[in-house]
Amino acid sequence: MKLIPTQDAVGHMLCHDMTQIIPGQYKGARFRKGHVVQPEDVPVLLSMGKEHLYVWELTPDMVHENDAAERLCALCRNDHMERTEAKEGKIELTAAIDGLFQVDRRRLNAVNALEDIMIATRHGNTAVRKGGKLAGTRVIPLVIAEEKLRRAEEAAGSTPLLTLTPWKLKTAAVIATGNEVAKGLITDAFTPVVEAKLTAFGIRTVRRSTPGDDMDKITQEILAARNAGVDLILCTGGMSVDPDDRTPGAVRASGARVVSYGAPVLPGAMFLVSYLEGVPVLGLPGCVMYAQSTIFDLLLPRIAAGVPISRKDITEMGEGGLCLGCDICTYPDCGFGK
């Protein structure tokens, strides 16, 4: 780009938006970036205090920031995402559906490590609602070298950096363990809490049972739920090391493949993740019943979207896995799980 007197700018293309301010009446872009200056524009520009203008002097190896933003957007955008028009060199992506938002962090970091390139996203592995912001892309200068954009495209690879997966699981079974519940000595306060959390992801609880602390009965209920064809099986309580807590043993006896029993997250250290013929079977510790946010809240979006949980997923939750127990809980708008 080059700087020239406004009187000499007729026929040249503006490098950036030109803001006009009329006190008490108007403030906004009077001339947009890319506008070709006309003779009648000169007096208006001068009245705006613009005695000199930056205009384009593009060469084939340089790319306008709006065009560059388009190419960065293409590296990110995936199914179920909507985009804005390029404005002031920026494009934003929003969610077209409710679902699980995920980011390929390694590739995103590789792109952002390049000079003059930026892609900003919200945290991955989180639930988003339709219309929610997902990401913004732009380059830092008004124009950027073609070679830099090619390097960004190479770093990003052939698949989008972002994914948005709709909720897939539809039905659940809740198995409330504990003799005190089975015998009616206390009211089952656990199941309503779990059901409310499931409802937020469109999952209906279609089976409920109270087998007590008998490990064989818990196992039978797990198998019965699987045979009934539910998408998710939840065992509440019975997850500690007390002699009467039999849930982990019952899960193993069902034939489920245990991914992890225990997690570097508080609340939720005694959480269990397993799969029985592809169906998630979760063991929920007592904290899920009374704590505002736990490991169950962190993993439920991925589970509801049908994304398998691995041992590595669990072990990587340590950083950010400590809930601070704030007097006023703002989860998920906080650092818990991030």
Side-chain angles (χ1 to χ4, degrees):
M1 59 185 179
K2 63 180 179 179
L3 184 66
I4 62 175
T6 299
Q7 291 91 336
D8 300 334
V10 175
H12 289 273
M13 183 181 295
L14 295 177
C15 288
H16 55 88
D17 291 351
M18 309 296 293
T19 300
Q20 183 179 38
I21 302 175
I22 302 176
Q25 297 182 42
Y26 176 80
K27 178 182 178 181
R30 180 64 176 81
F31 299 100
R32 290 288 184 185
K33 181 189 316 177
H35 174 75
V36 177
V37 179
Q38 304 299 314
E40 61 269 24
D41 298 334
V42 173
V44 179
L45 288 163
L46 291 172
S47 73
M48 294 164 53
K50 306 299 182 182
E51 296 185 355
H52 293 81
L53 301 175
Y54 280 107
V55 295
W56 290 118
E57 194 173 37
L58 284 177
T59 59
D61 62 337
M62 301 299 290
V63 180
H64 183 283
E65 63 174 349
N66 280 354
D67 296 327
E70 294 281 355
R71 289 170 63 173
L72 294 181
C73 178
L75 302 183
C76 299
R77 192 182 183 190
N78 212 328
D79 295 339
H80 313 301
M81 298 179 187
E82 296 178 343
R83 49 155 292 175
T84 62
E85 293 300 315
K87 182 179 180 182
E88 298 178 348
K90 181 176 67 175
I91 295 175
E92 291 188 344
L93 293 174
T94 57
I97 60 167
D98 294 351
L100 172 72
F101 178 64
Q102 292 181 293
V103 179
D104 189 315
R105 180 180 295 178
R106 180 188 63 80
R107 291 191 292 138
L108 175 66
N109 289 343
V111 172
N112 280 330
L114 300 173
E115 185 181 15
D116 294 334
I117 301 287
M118 68 128 286
I119 299 173
T121 78
R122 68 192 297 159
H123 282 289
N125 285 326
T126 54
V128 298
R129 302 302 176 188
K130 182 178 179 179
K133 287 186 179 183
L134 302 178
T137 68
R138 71 171 302 159
V139 293
I140 305 305
L142 292 172
V143 293
I144 188 170
E146 167 69 26
E147 184 269 338
K148 288 185 178 180
L149 284 175
R150 288 179 181 171
R151 287 170 56 198
E153 290 163 344
E154 291 173 0
S158 59
T159 58
L161 300 174
L162 313 179
T163 56
L164 181 55
T165 306
W167 310 133
K168 294 181 179 178
L169 276 58
K170 303 298 182 184
T171 59
V174 178
I175 303 170
T177 68
N179 286 336
E180 66 279 17
V181 174
K183 294 178 180 179
L185 300 177
I186 65 170
T187 300
D188 176 16
F190 212 144
T191 298
V193 171
V194 172
E195 289 184 358
K197 292 180 182 291
L198 296 178
T199 299
F201 294 90
I203 301 173
R204 294 184 301 111
T205 303
V206 297
R207 287 181 61 91
R208 302 171 185 82
S209 58
T210 55
D213 288 319
D214 186 295
M215 193 172 79
D216 290 338
K217 290 182 178 179
I218 298 172
T219 299
Q220 290 169 12
E221 288 297 334
I222 294 172
L223 294 173
R226 176 66 188 93
N227 292 335
V230 299
D231 300 323
L232 173 63
I233 301 170
L234 303 169
C235 299
T236 65
M239 294 300 303
S240 75
V241 295
D242 292 343
D244 290 333
D245 287 342
R246 309 291 179 81
T247 301
V251 171
R252 290 191 173 92
S254 73
R257 175 181 60 85
V258 176
V259 173
S260 177
Y261 174 32
V265 177
L266 291 172
M270 306 304 287
F271 187 76
L272 182 147
V273 181
S274 68
Y275 289 88
L276 178 59
E277 298 175 0
V279 175
V281 181
L282 309 181
L284 307 184
C287 62
V288 175
M289 176 172 53
Y290 59 81
Q292 183 74 24
S293 304
T294 70
I295 187 174
F296 183 48
D297 300 281
L298 300 183
L299 288 179
L300 184 55
R302 277 181 265 184
I303 293 166
V307 175
I309 305 299
S310 68
R311 172 70 181 175
K312 183 173 181 287
D313 292 330
I314 301 294
T315 59
E316 289 181 345
M317 297 179 76
E319 182 181 2
L322 178 64
C323 175
L324 301 182
C326 304
D327 292 338
I328 299 177
C329 180
T330 60
Y331 180 83
D333 299 322
C334 70
F336 183 45
K338 301 179 178 69

